Amino acid sequence: MLPNLAKGGGMAATRKAVVIGSGAGGLAAAAYLAKGGAQVTLLERAPVIGGYINSFNRKGYCFDPGVHYVGECRPGQGIHRVFAGLDLDADNLFCELDRDGFDRYRFPGLEVRVPRGFGAFQDRLTDLFPSEKKNIERFFALARELAEASRAMTKLSFQKPALSDLTLLRHVPTLLRWGKATYKQLLDWITPDPKLQAVLAANCGDYGLPPSRASALYGLMLHVHYSDGAFFPRGGSGRMKDKLVDYVKARGGTVRTRAEVAEIIVNKRRAVGVRLSGGEEIPADKIVSAIDPILTFGKLIKAEHLPERLMRKVNRTEPSVGMFYVFLGMKRDLRQHGLGAFDIWDYPDWDLDAMYAPLFAGRMPTVPAFFLSPNSLKDDSGECAPKGSSTLEIITVAPYELFSKWDGQPSNRRGTDYLQLKNTIGDGLLKEVERRHPGLIGDIEVQEYATPLSNSYWAGAVRGGSYGPAMTPNQVGPFRFQTAAPIRNLFLAGAGVFGGGVSPSLASGVVAARMALRD
Ligand SMILES: Cc1cc2nc3c(=O)[nH]c(=O)nc-3n(C[C@H](O)[C@H](O)[C@H](O)COP(=O)(O)OP(=O)(O)OC[C@H]3O[C@@H](n4cnc5c(N)ncnc54)[C@H](O)[C@@H]3O)c2cc1C
């Protein structure tokens, strides 16, 4: 008989840790808890581990819906530190993308290649916008300041604070000035040139918001994240997941799929275990919930255990946008068609805010912007596509509302109306890619479409969101959710804590584990 945790008792003498959700944050938390000596149980509701860092395979082609490039993979930098801290061969986990242009922004009549290094990027922009030289300098001065602050903060999450860290305080005025601003307000302060503004925001699909809605600091932080180049996980994103899962298992941890947590059991303001949807109870000394905080607080914990202020925050939290995906496996080398180890952001227009407007009204835009990501060309292991063949992922932002009536239904049983809608959007997107990149698509062996409902189904995403709560000024930094929950022994990790993206999610897991072990 399992103990009734709600009535207290049942806690074992050894330190048991339960981690809810096996995305980047949950896996990092589980690994660092295991490293710290905890007996870890990692619980995942889906049939597969990994959330957005899970690859899937079709006919020898490997697809990575939630990872196209990451930054901070050199020794001493964020992602490298997470894996190096576990002795997981961090030096060989990633392949570097094209240093001269890992991101390529295509606007009508202009292509901007984003090179490694702020210096090179600044020079390139100055060549393209010579009359904006001073304004470009101002942008990079601000970005460098944020980079310095972020490096210091990363160091602090891995090492004990030193007296010299007090120098961090000099960044406080900048952080305060831009903390509540939108990226558009920051861009208006930088330059009146709408084209330069569009270029500086062209990677906004990485957080799924146009400049007028996005946080200024997050918009800038994204440039900081990729300032020392971009990388792709060697062999696909699933390799990162495999390394972390193996690490947990090697230290006696248990990793379970189809194990949906229905409730976090709270007794006298302490989290004491979890109840799975089948009724099984698992006691725990420490719990890390690495799923969207809207779910942790809104679904897994009875409201009576939570402060009203927190519940009001949960109820007004805005999820991030969904995506529409086309996954292609082609029996051709896309290098011969102009692609390479880089991504392309392709815009039909310079006004990014106008392009997002239909999405916020629940419609697909007539002429979409899209992201082209040939992941197999970024990988040097040869494991992402058969020899001489390539993968191409085409992604565009899509409103959840268009698909919401089918949410909750199994992926292959949503009926013909859903299929028809999906095929109409997918075929239309493919046609638009062919129109803007003639001859690129052909020799197709795998062709699949996915909607925001795939995010809900495979990653448990709230309203099909791609990055946890949206990165608006009111939902980043101190206004996002905090690692320590207002319930003893409960900690949060995942995109809802430091922000969407693999790097912040991994870091959130490390911090949650550290706090849980110290507590
Ligand atoms: C299209 C797209 C492209 C992206 N591209 C990039 C990129 O190139 N670079 C980058 O850095 N980031 C990218 N991201 C973002 C990044 O992948 C995510 O922000 C990050 O991986 C999220 O990690 P997470 O820890 O929040 O967990 P998630 O990946 O969100 O996983 C949470 C897990 O918890 C599980 N779960 C939920 N509820 C329960 C429950 N009750 N019980 C048990 N398990 C539960 C879910 O099934 C899921 O597996 C992209 C995202 C998308 C959608």
Side-chain angles (χ1 to χ4, degrees):
M1 265 288 276
L2 279 163
N4 184 333
L5 301 173
K7 290 193 178 135
M11 303 301 291
T14 46
R15 181 166 273 210
K16 289 185 176 161
V18 161
V19 177
I20 308 169
S22 71
L27 284 166
Y32 273 83
L33 282 164
K35 180 183 175 183
Q39 189 186 326
V40 177
T41 303
L42 175 61
L43 301 168
E44 168 56 53
R45 55 168 270 289
V48 287
I49 293 292
Y52 282 130
I53 62 165
N54 186 39
S55 324
F56 69 91
N57 290 284
R58 297 282 185 273
K59 298 183 187 168
Y61 293 91
C62 171
F63 299 99
D64 299 272
V67 184
H68 302 93
Y69 60 152
V70 289
E72 300 175 57
C73 294
R74 297 187 199 283
Q77 299 176 348
I79 291 189
H80 190 282
R81 272 176 185 256
V82 172
F83 288 94
L86 302 166
D87 293 324
L88 286 179
D89 196 19
D91 291 341
N92 291 311
L93 260 179
F94 300 95
C95 309
E96 186 166 2
L97 271 60
D98 188 339
R99 287 182 176 201
D100 189 51
F102 57 83
D103 251 354
R104 303 195 176 187
Y105 307 152
R106 288 207 184 158
F107 289 96
L110 181 77
E111 178 181 281
V112 180
R113 297 182 177 194
V114 183
R116 174 188 173 194
F118 274 158
F121 192 17
Q122 184 173 339
D123 290 348
R124 191 156 290 172
L125 290 182
T126 309
D127 286 346
L128 291 168
F129 299 90
S131 62
E132 289 292 312
K133 185 171 186 293
K134 284 264 167 285
N135 292 336
I136 292 169
E137 270 170 25
R138 215 138 48 99
F139 178 82
F140 283 99
L142 195 57
R144 284 190 179 93
E145 181 175 359
L146 199 61
E148 202 185 312
S150 137
R151 262 196 306 275
M153 286 194 274
T154 304
K155 202 188 91 196
L156 278 181
S157 55
F158 284 87
Q159 289 168 14
K160 285 203 176 114
L163 208 59
S164 58
D165 293 322
L166 282 175
T167 55
L168 255 180
L169 292 174
R170 73 178 182 285
H171 302 303
V172 169
T174 304
L175 297 176
L176 285 179
R177 172 167 187 190
W178 296 111
K180 274 275 186 172
T182 64
Y183 194 47
K184 173 73 176 145
Q185 287 169 323
L186 185 145
L187 292 174
D188 284 342
W189 178 75
I190 294 287
T191 172
D193 184 331
K195 291 191 175 176
L196 179 56
Q197 286 202 4
V199 167
L200 293 173
N203 54 5
C204 65
D206 278 343
Y207 42 87
L209 285 174
S212 67
R213 291 196 182 212
S215 143
L217 290 181
Y218 214 86
L220 204 56
M221 228 12 241
L222 193 63
H223 288 285
V224 171
H225 178 62
Y226 292 112
S227 59
D228 204 8
F231 300 79
F232 185 71
R234 179 165 284 122
S237 60
R239 284 294 138 84
M240 291 193 285
K241 169 206 73 175
D242 294 342
K243 290 264 178 200
L244 294 168
V245 167
D246 291 349
Y247 186 92
V248 173
K249 286 184 176 167
R251 275 147 195 83
T254 306
V255 177
R256 291 174 59 178
T257 53
R258 299 182 202 276
E260 180 177 26
V261 174
E263 186 183 345
I264 294 173
I265 303 167
V266 178
N267 182 30
K268 296 186 186 136
R269 302 187 65 76
R270 285 167 184 264
V272 294
V274 296
R275 182 176 294 115
L276 302 191
S277 48
E280 180 187 351
E281 288 186 359
I282 303 174
D285 301 311
K286 304 287 168 187
I287 297 174
V288 174
S289 187
I291 65 177
D292 195 310
I294 299 179
L295 299 174
T296 299
F297 295 124
K299 289 225 161 127
L300 301 193
I301 302 176
K302 291 191 178 118
E304 71 208 45
H305 298 302
L306 295 167
E308 264 177 41
R309 229 180 71 192
L310 175 65
M311 288 316 291
R312 281 199 297 276
K313 176 176 166 149
V314 169
N315 291 333
R316 63 168 187 262
T317 296
E318 182 194 332
S320 48
V321 293
M323 299 285 168
F324 190 96
Y325 310 76
V326 175
F327 299 104
L328 296 178
M330 290 183 269
K331 201 172 166 53
R332 54 168 58 181
D333 185 345
L334 285 176
R335 271 175 285 246
Q336 280 153 24
H337 296 265
L339 298 195
F342 53 82
D343 295 313
I344 296 177
W345 298 93
D346 195 304
Y347 288 98
D349 191 87
W350 290 92
D351 187 344
L352 306 192
D353 270 297
M355 262 179 290
Y356 270 84
L359 296 158
F360 290 111
R363 288 179 281 114
M364 293 298 287
T366 325
V367 186
F370 52 74
F371 177 69
L372 296 180
S373 183
N375 281 349
S376 66
L377 303 187
K378 305 170 200 166
D379 170 64
D380 63 11
S381 73
E383 292 172 33
C384 292
K387 204 169 165 43
S389 302
S390 316
T391 61
L392 182 63
E393 296 178 20
I394 305 166
I395 302 178
T396 191
V397 184
Y400 166 80
E401 291 74 15
L402 262 186
F403 308 93
S404 57
K405 66 176 165 186
W406 295 284
D407 202 356
Q409 297 178 16
S411 66
N412 49 357
R413 272 180 269 150
R414 294 188 188 124
T416 46
D417 286 355
Y418 173 77
L419 271 182
Q420 216 164 35
L421 177 63
K422 186 163 93 160
N423 288 338
T424 306
I425 295 173
D427 293 350
L429 182 57
L430 214 42
K431 247 194 210 134
E432 189 57 21
V433 172
E434 280 168 334
R435 189 179 71 78
R436 275 142 68 180
H437 297 261
L440 180 66
I441 312 291
D443 306 319
I444 295 176
E445 293 197 310
V446 175
Q447 176 172 346
E448 264 186 41
Y449 302 153
T451 72
L453 297 195
S454 309
N455 292 353
S456 305
Y457 184 76
W458 292 103
V462 175
R463 293 174 67 80
S466 306
Y467 307 107
M471 259 75 75
T472 56
N474 292 333
Q475 297 188 171
V476 300
F479 313 111
R480 218 165 169 79
F481 289 89
Q482 305 304 306
T483 307
I487 288 178
R488 206 64 212 274
N489 299 333
L490 175 63
F491 304 87
L492 302 194
V497 180
F498 294 161
V502 174
S503 176
S505 300
L506 285 171
S508 72
V510 177
V511 171
R514 291 257 158 93
M515 287 178 74
L517 289 165
R518 208 171 48 209
D519 190 45

